Amino acid sequence: MADTVREIERKYEAEDDTRLPDLAGIDRVTAVAEAGTEDLDAVYYDTADQRLAAAGITLRRRTGGRDAGWHLKLPVAPGVRDELRAPLSATPPPELTALVRSRVLDGELVAVVRLRTRRTVRVLKDAAGTPLAEVAEDAVRAWPAAGAVDAGTADSGRPGARWREIEVELVGDGGAGLLDEVGRALTAAGVRPASAASKLARALAETGQSRDGAAPHTAGPDERLIHGSGKAAAKTKGKGAGKRGKKRPTAGDVVLRYAREQVRVIIELDPAVRRDLPDAVHRMRVATRRLRSAFRSYTKVLDRAATQPIGIELKWLAAELGVERDREVLTERLREGLGELPGTLRLGPVDARLRIWSERRRAGARDRLLDVLDGPRYLALLKTLHAFLAEPPLRKAARRPAPEVAAGAVLKDYRRLARRTEAALAASAGRERDEALHGARKAAKRTRYAAEAARPALGRPAKKFAKRTKRVQQLLGDHQDSVVARGALRELATQAQRAGEGGFTFGLLYGREEALAADRERALPDVWRKASRRKHRAALRP
């Protein structure tokens, strides 16, 4: 994996004759050290329709300076980006292009802009001489690039642009307060906050390359579909309007808004999953499940014949993501169980046995997931999701007022949950009940997601309904986790016995999990009774 640097900075612009103030004495700054001047030459790459720029992502090949090489910048928060670096090569390195695959799809990366920058750097230091921040004063020249992915790309000959930019970037533990203080000093001297989020965005705008004449970092065609404008939004316009002429949301508006959000999460989390960032796999898996659930709950709004094939692929992706996530959750549960046992009951190398068992599963799961994300089936799914948003398969009910359609969908899923819960409560103890409770858990999750999707239409009643259903889902989920944990503990005990270690401790944990599951079964009737009161359902009706 490429090296990663967290970049926390503020950008400003100034006229050529604007003098920068002396920053010594600001916050903890006691000295400003000159760090020299360097000449940088960077070529930025994107698809022809600028999908990376629309998402605030930059990919460049830069020579000169201290960090020559390939740089991929991914947005984290306003003013915060992760910069991933790879060595110089003639073409974009695979370890970086993989991280933008969910945006680029099968599009070609071409050179779009060339920037030449003369950079003068000053380092802000505290009393101990520790660097707090760097202030880079950049004289920038930009041209449209020739358009081919080639290390020696020449300028296109079209008109260029030039400007002066100041970047203030934290190093060490400078803190956001320092950036605020420096920013106030700069603006007092006549320096302005940058008009664009990046050099690339400004270069595209000033060289006349922003798509459709758009301002820097506004969404392009694909991004507009994901974020809720363009053709898809126009298709849901209904007849209803409030007394003052304000259009009331239709069922299609509400459902497509929810669907767009899940697609956005899947696409944006793709790089985080590849980088193995905390909770990324779980969040991406939840988004796939939510989208599939919306397809199944809102069949009056979205044509089931069109969404069912997409749902099958989402189920496949959720299962692939679940291999690693389930291992993660299960390992943590077993580790916590071991940690709660007194030392006198921890017989044999149980911690080492669990660690080896988990790591073996992790290695295989991680490799398999990366193969999935790099494979043709996943790429086809991403393209299908874009096509779905571009031409959503809306049914006639999509034009109806959102509240009545949303309430009907939530209550339909609730009735399904009620049937499954009652069947589970009546099932015989053992495997039959375990399977019935697992089915009720899945129904609770679907009902909860349907209520969450309905919140823009139904407001607080939907929020409260989702919250109560979540309690049922969590209890049933804990029960299912216990079922899975017992299977893993049986496997661990068998491995330990074969190695001559004894399986007493794993057997003890098995018994504790069995007792926990029985406790959850006893608690279910009361939790279900509170969640299923008639008044909660009545509150959903418009």
Side-chain angles (χ1 to χ4, degrees), residues 249 254 257 298 402-404 406-407 410 450-468 536 539-542:
V254 170
R257 173 182 172 181
Y298 290 93
E404 62 180 81
V410 175
E452 288 176 348
R455 279 187 60 184
L458 302 177
R460 286 178 60 83
K463 180 180 179 181
K464 291 182 177 180
F465 195 86
K467 186 176 181 180
R468 294 184 184 99
H536 301 328
L540 292 175
R541 298 191 181 278

Side-chain angles (χ1 to χ4, degrees), residues 312-533:
I312 291 171
E313 294 305 286
L314 290 169
K315 182 179 181 180
W316 160 76
L317 178 59
E320 295 293 349
L321 292 165
V323 173
E324 169 61 7
R325 173 61 181 172
D326 290 345
R327 180 210 62 82
E328 205 174 71
V329 171
L330 179 57
T331 299
E332 185 60 27
R333 186 183 185 98
L334 298 181
R335 188 177 290 122
E336 287 179 0
L338 285 174
E340 292 171 358
L341 293 179
T344 54
L345 298 179
R346 296 162 64 94
L347 305 184
V350 289
D351 291 287
R353 172 64 57 189
L354 175 58
R355 184 175 63 254
I356 293 169
W357 176 86
S358 179
E359 287 303 317
R360 283 177 177 169
R361 288 175 168 235
R362 171 180 167 77
R366 182 71 189 155
D367 291 343
R368 175 174 173 170
L369 179 55
L370 291 176
D371 285 343
V372 165
L373 297 181
D374 289 334
R377 185 173 181 179
Y378 174 65
L379 178 63
L381 172 58
L382 292 177
K383 294 169 70 174
T384 299
L385 292 177
H386 278 273
F388 160 76
L389 293 180
E391 296 288 343
L394 297 172
R395 300 184 65 192
K396 188 176 181 180
R399 296 177 177 269
R400 288 167 51 191
E404 62 180 81
V405 177
V410 175
L411 292 174
K412 178 190 68 175
D413 282 347
Y414 164 80
R415 290 190 291 271
R416 179 171 173 270
L417 167 60
R419 290 193 300 271
R420 290 198 178 188
T421 303
E422 297 300 334
L425 290 171
S428 301
R431 183 171 181 177
E432 180 185 348
R433 183 179 297 170
D434 289 344
E435 292 178 353
L437 289 170
H438 184 42
R441 170 179 172 262
K442 291 190 286 187
K445 185 180 297 185
R446 177 165 151 184
T447 305
R448 171 193 162 196
Y449 290 160
E452 288 176 348
R455 279 187 60 184
L458 302 177
R460 286 178 60 83
K463 180 180 179 181
K464 291 182 177 180
F465 195 86
K467 186 176 181 180
R468 294 184 184 99
T469 307
K470 184 178 179 180
R471 293 193 189 109
V472 177
Q473 176 197 330
Q474 288 176 329
L475 184 142
L476 293 172
D478 202 22
H479 182 278
Q480 177 62 18
D481 288 347
S482 177
V483 172
V484 175
R486 277 178 274 159
L489 287 165
R490 191 184 306 111
E491 181 182 342
L492 284 162
T494 300
Q495 292 175 358
Q497 286 181 329
R498 287 175 179 171
E501 299 166 1
F504 170 81
T505 300
F506 294 124
L508 182 61
L509 288 178
Y510 185 100
R512 292 183 64 177
E513 288 288 354
E514 206 168 34
L516 185 146
D519 179 69
R520 298 299 181 265
E521 291 177 25
R522 286 191 296 271
L524 177 59
D526 185 56
V527 173
W528 172 244
R529 184 169 56 253
K530 291 178 180 178
S532 60
R533 288 172 179 164

Side-chain angles (χ1 to χ4, degrees), residues 291-321:
L291 183 56
R292 178 170 175 257
S293 183
F295 289 165
R296 301 175 76 187
S297 297
Y298 290 93
T299 53
K300 287 189 176 181
V301 176
L302 298 171
D303 186 352
R304 184 72 174 142
T307 61
Q308 187 172 21
I310 307 175
I312 291 171
E313 294 305 286
L314 290 169
K315 182 179 181 180
W316 160 76
L317 178 59
E320 295 293 349
L321 292 165

Side-chain angles (χ1 to χ4, degrees), residues 209-224:
Q209 296 187 88
S210 289
R211 281 186 298 172
D212 305 323
H217 277 196
T218 55
D222 292 338
E223 291 294 311
R224 286 199 297 270

Side-chain angles (χ1 to χ4, degrees), residues 58-71:
T58 61
L59 174 64
R60 72 185 178 202
R61 182 187 188 275
R62 190 165 77 182
T63 57
R66 297 163 292 175
D67 59 351
W70 285 93
H71 304 155

